[in-house]
Amino acid sequence: MTPVLPDGPLIDEAVGRLVRPYTLSDGRTRATSHFTLVTMVRATGVQTQGAFGLEHAQVLALCERPVSVAEVAARMQVPAAVVKVLLSDLTEGGAVVASDAPPAPPGHDARPDRDLLEAVRDGLLKRL
């Protein structure tokens, strides 16, 4: 029998969350890999090494395209610290890769536009 993933967190409208956030990470509060809120993560498509739970599967589903750690936390409605622990597990298992830079669109020149930078500088100088 294949487990069915719920669409969202287990929440009862009258009492709130039915599962405390840190139980999702087995009580761990520190990630073994470095992530910031703006770190971009994406699934690699590689089968994970190790046994992961439902929460790991939810994180993987959200990482099908590049997404920030903050967005994963917001969509799962759990603290970012918990998401960082789950992402650390997935990174160590080879299922997720992380980057501190957002992906550049195809054909995009990585250098900033000089005219735009000069216009920003000129605008700032006028305000000072």
Side-chain angles (χ1 to χ4, degrees):
M1 183 168 105
T2 304
V4 176
L5 298 176
D7 289 336
L10 299 174
I11 296 178
D12 181 300
E13 291 183 23
V15 296
R17 179 176 292 282
L18 298 176
V19 176
R20 294 290 170 219
Y22 291 98
T23 60
L24 305 178
S25 61
D26 294 328
R28 296 173 292 155
T29 58
R30 297 200 188 268
T32 56
S33 300
H34 176 72
F35 295 100
T36 66
L37 292 177
V38 295
T39 299
M40 300 298 288
V41 293
R42 69 171 173 78
T44 62
V46 172
Q47 284 286 41
T48 57
Q49 302 295 327
F52 294 121
L54 176 64
E55 295 75 24
H56 290 92
Q58 289 175 322
V59 170
L60 269 177
L62 292 171
C63 295
E64 289 179 356
R65 61 174 181 78
V67 62
S68 70
V69 172
E71 187 173 344
V72 173
R75 289 187 179 197
M76 289 188 65
Q77 298 180 2
V78 297
V82 172
V83 170
K84 290 177 183 181
V85 171
L86 298 173
L87 284 168
S88 288
D89 295 342
L90 293 168
T91 300
E92 290 171 6
V96 169
V97 292
S99 169
D100 285 329
H108 176 71
D109 185 4
R111 295 174 298 170
D113 179 26
R114 184 179 180 101
D115 293 335
L116 175 62
L117 291 174
E118 288 176 354
V120 169
R121 180 198 64 199
D122 294 344
L124 289 172
L125 287 173
K126 286 181 185 176
R127 296 199 66 123
L128 297 176

